[in-house]
């Protein structure tokens, strides 16, 4: 959290791409803890859930949303 106020329900949206920049799929997860104070960071785990072979993934882009 680079801001000056706490943020809640931090959602991590990940999109997976192949070598041709084609979308393979995406997944959504949440940070743990889900509330972050200013200056605080938190880990998260993401799974493809769609059984995308890891060798097919050449790029992953992350988008964060919070309340």
């Amino acid at each position: 959290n680079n801001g000056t106020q706490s943020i809640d329900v931090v959602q991590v949206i990940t999109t997976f791409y192949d070598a041709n920049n084609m979308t393979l799929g995406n997944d959504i997860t949440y940070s743990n803890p889900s509330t972050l104070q200013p200056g605080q960071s938190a880990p998260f785990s993401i799974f493809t859930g769609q059984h995308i072979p890891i060798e097919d993934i050449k790029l992953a882009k992350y988008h964060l949303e919070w309340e």
Side-chain angles (χ1 to χ4, degrees), residues 18-29:
D18 68 11
N20 296 315
N21 208 31
M22 298 296 295
T23 301
L24 297 172
N26 53 39
D27 199 3
I28 298 171
T29 192

Side-chain angles (χ1 to χ4, degrees), residues 12 14-16 25-30 44-52 54 57 62:
V12 182
T14 307
T15 304
F16 302 98
N26 53 39
D27 199 3
I28 298 171
T29 192
Y30 297 88
F44 63 91
S45 296
I46 195 98
F47 301 96
T48 62
Q50 300 158 355
H51 307 292
I52 302 168
I54 192 74
I57 299 172
Y62 302 98

